[in-house]
Amino acid sequence: KNQVEQSPQSLIILEGKNCTLQCNYTVSPFSNLRWYKQDTGRGPVSLTIMTFSENTKSNGRYTATLDADTKQSSLHITASQLSDSASYICVLYSSASKIIFGSGTRLSIRP
Amino acid sequence: DAMVIQNPRYQVTQFGKPVTLSCSQTLNHNVMYWYQQKSSQAPKLLFHYYDKDFNNEADTPDNFQSRRPNTSFCFLDIRSPGLGDAAMYLCATSRDLEMVRERVYEQYFGPGTRLTVT
């Protein structure tokens, strides 16, 4: 069983709509949780970084939440744009300096 | 003002022919990482350097080697590429390791090198 699981695997929404991506994890304890955006053929780019004590972090139209009790994180994208089409990866940095990647959600925005 | 640079962006090599991928950084970060990412999969850490200290992941094949001649440059050498080594190879840096300073250090990724093995 993966230590970091993301859902859905892929998602298609219309431009302008909102969406929420999920990340469930079993890693404990951990130092911080990060969401990355990876455009096709490019390296991941950091969107948000949350320590285990934070509940929410925003970066423009991206808002990440963290619930340490349920071991869930979500990434909410508001007013989606065509440029939001990418893979979104949830990554946990464990307290043992281990970096654990989720397999990502492939988001496609349709005009 | 590129911060993590990978060359080449696309590399084609023949089965069994050694190949070297390069990464350079302008951030003066202590840590450099190499990841392998296959299609629709999460990046998989191969190894990292903390300064000159080399740290190999337990399941990284012996076919993969790395060199870091100075702070700015790090190389990934694949001694005898197989068809299964075709992938995107990502280089990343961070100022420090999490546990060393008990702080959060952002990881910066390069654009990747797409390796094709024929």
Side-chain angles (χ1 to χ4, degrees):
Chain A
K1 182 172 168 59
N2 293 334
Q3 293 178 289
V4 179
E5 291 197 340
Q6 292 189 243
S7 62
Q9 282 190 327
S10 61
L11 180 64
I12 302 174
I13 65 171
L14 292 176
E15 185 180 9
K17 297 295 187 183
N18 304 336
C19 67
T20 300
L21 314 180
Q22 297 289 347
C23 174
N24 295 341
Y25 61 90
T26 59
V27 179
S28 182
F30 67 93
S31 166
N32 60 91
L33 184 149
R34 308 181 188 197
W35 283 92
Y36 286 88
K37 178 187 178 187
Q38 185 174 21
D39 292 314
T40 301
R42 294 284 185 174
V45 174
S46 178
L47 293 175
T48 62
I49 301 175
M50 288 185 293
T51 65
F52 64 89
S53 60
E54 293 180 293
N55 299 121
T56 187
K57 185 69 71 78
S58 290
N59 178 4
R61 295 180 295 103
Y62 302 101
T63 300
T65 63
L66 177 61
D67 185 333
D69 292 331
T70 61
K71 296 185 178 179
Q72 293 180 327
S73 176
S74 65
L75 180 69
H76 187 73
I77 305 174
T78 59
S80 61
Q81 300 175 359
L82 296 178
S83 59
D84 293 332
S85 294
S87 288
Y88 291 83
I89 306 173
C90 173
V91 185
L92 259 77
Y93 288 67
S94 80
S95 300
S97 269
K98 285 289 185 184
I99 306 171
I100 305 155
F101 284 74
S103 56
T105 292
R106 178 73 203 168
L107 176 65
S108 297
I109 310 297
R110 294 283 186 257
Chain B
D1 55 343
M3 295 183 290
V4 183
I5 304 156
Q6 290 188 244
N7 287 306
R9 293 294 313 281
Y10 301 92
Q11 176 73 58
V12 180
T13 190
Q14 292 177 333
F15 183 94
K17 186 175 180 180
V19 65
T20 294
L21 310 182
S22 80
C23 176
S24 63
Q25 54 135 337
T26 60
L27 298 162
N28 204 34
H29 281 174
N30 288 324
V31 191
M32 294 187 78
Y33 309 80
W34 277 106
Y35 290 87
Q36 179 193 65
Q37 186 178 27
K38 296 188 176 180
S39 183
S40 301
Q41 294 184 20
K44 178 180 179 298
L45 182 64
L46 297 173
F47 24 61
H48 76 269
Y49 272 96
Y50 178 69
D51 197 10
K52 288 189 175 298
D53 291 335
F54 178 69
N55 297 270
N56 199 34
E57 292 299 298
D59 56 356
T60 298
D62 292 339
N63 198 26
F64 292 88
Q65 305 284 324
S66 185
R67 296 171 283 136
R68 190 179 185 185
N70 53 52
T71 301
S72 301
F73 285 87
C74 194
F75 300 98
L76 170 61
D77 300 309
I78 308 176
R79 292 192 297 188
S80 182
L83 297 178
D85 296 327
M88 172 77 88
Y89 289 87
L90 295 167
C91 174
T93 73
S94 63
R95 185 185 299 178
D96 218 318
L97 288 173
E98 305 284 325
M99 283 297 291
V100 172
R101 300 285 182 260
E102 295 182 345
R103 291 182 58 184
V104 175
Y105 291 100
E106 185 153 359
Q107 200 173 22
Y108 294 85
F109 285 84
T113 293
R114 170 74 64 187
L115 178 68
T116 300
V117 182
T118 61

